[in-house]
Amino acid sequence: MDRISLENLVTTLCQHNPGLSNQISTLTPAITVSSALECLRSKLETVFLGLPYKGDQQGDYAYLRVKPAIEDFLAAFADYLEHFLPPNESQLSNSLAFLDSATTLLWRLPVWNNAINNHSKKVMFEQLAQAWVVTFQEVAAASTTGLGLGYEMWMQKLRMHHEITMELGVAIEFLNSIFAN
């Protein structure tokens, strides 16, 4: 049985037996930062494997070949992003670790010649920037010293990501504002 058939079977069983949903939830292993990142890496690899071997790697033909894989990656990215944000994730170190590595994965997505093809990636970067802000807000609220000694490290990481993507200015401004006061 393939994955989709198995998912459909489990969904149908849960609809007919509502008590199964709770049992399945308790038996399902918890999502960890490493398992989430491994899943995202695998989905990103699928994008690269779908690119044509020859020709324009950034053109419309290449994009159309990998569009379903990109959509799958971005959907999983959004799900994991929500999962690792406070208050869903109580360990802020997990939130920060996920955000750092996930940001690297997102900026590795291809950049296309046609700006329209880059739209979904740009939207995801906007959500990611807000996720950084939300996490920094929680870190600052949880500590009397804000990020303390970690401030410089996180500012360096954010600046590195921003230099590559030019998409995380909101998060950098917020982190600066925490320590400007």
Side-chain angles (χ1 to χ4, degrees):
M1 184 177 275
D2 68 353
R3 187 190 70 143
I4 293 172
S5 298
L6 182 60
E7 287 174 359
N8 290 336
L9 175 65
V10 171
T11 301
T12 303
L13 285 171
C14 288
Q15 288 170 346
H16 291 347
N17 302 303
L20 279 177
S21 298
N22 292 336
Q23 283 184 300
I24 291 172
S25 294
T26 57
L27 294 173
T28 305
I31 299 170
T32 64
V33 172
S34 61
S35 68
L37 292 172
E38 186 55 40
C39 177
L40 290 175
R41 281 187 199 101
S42 174
K43 290 179 183 298
L44 184 61
E45 185 63 25
T46 302
V47 171
F48 289 115
L49 290 173
L51 289 171
Y53 295 117
K54 295 181 181 180
D56 185 2
Q57 295 275 315
Q58 297 173 321
D60 286 340
Y61 171 72
Y63 172 75
L64 290 174
R65 278 186 58 146
V66 297
K67 183 180 177 186
I70 290 172
E71 290 170 345
D72 186 41
F73 171 80
L74 291 174
F77 192 96
D79 289 344
Y80 286 128
L81 186 60
E82 183 178 329
H83 176 80
F84 283 105
L85 280 182
N88 295 333
E89 175 59 59
S90 60
Q91 297 291 323
L92 294 172
S93 59
N94 285 344
S95 298
L96 290 168
F98 176 78
L99 288 172
D100 182 36
S101 295
T103 302
T104 300
L105 293 175
L106 186 58
W107 54 253
R108 287 189 54 220
L109 266 179
V111 176
W112 308 102
N113 294 334
N114 187 340
I116 292 170
N117 297 339
N118 295 314
H119 179 72
S120 57
K121 179 180 177 181
K122 183 166 182 55
V123 168
M124 188 57 64
F125 263 116
E126 291 168 3
Q127 292 176 17
L128 183 63
Q130 287 304 314
W132 277 102
V133 169
V134 165
T135 303
F136 284 137
Q137 286 172 332
E138 289 296 316
V139 170
S143 167
T144 57
T145 60
L147 290 173
L149 298 175
Y151 165 77
E152 287 297 325
M153 176 188 70
W154 288 110
M155 184 54 89
Q156 276 183 321
K157 287 181 182 227
L158 266 178
R159 282 194 176 128
M160 186 266 308
H161 289 309
H162 183 67
E163 285 175 12
I164 293 168
T165 66
M166 301 309 288
E167 299 286 350
L168 300 172
V170 170
I172 290 173
E173 289 173 21
F174 179 79
L175 194 53
N176 278 331
S177 74
I178 289 175
F179 291 96
N181 297 328

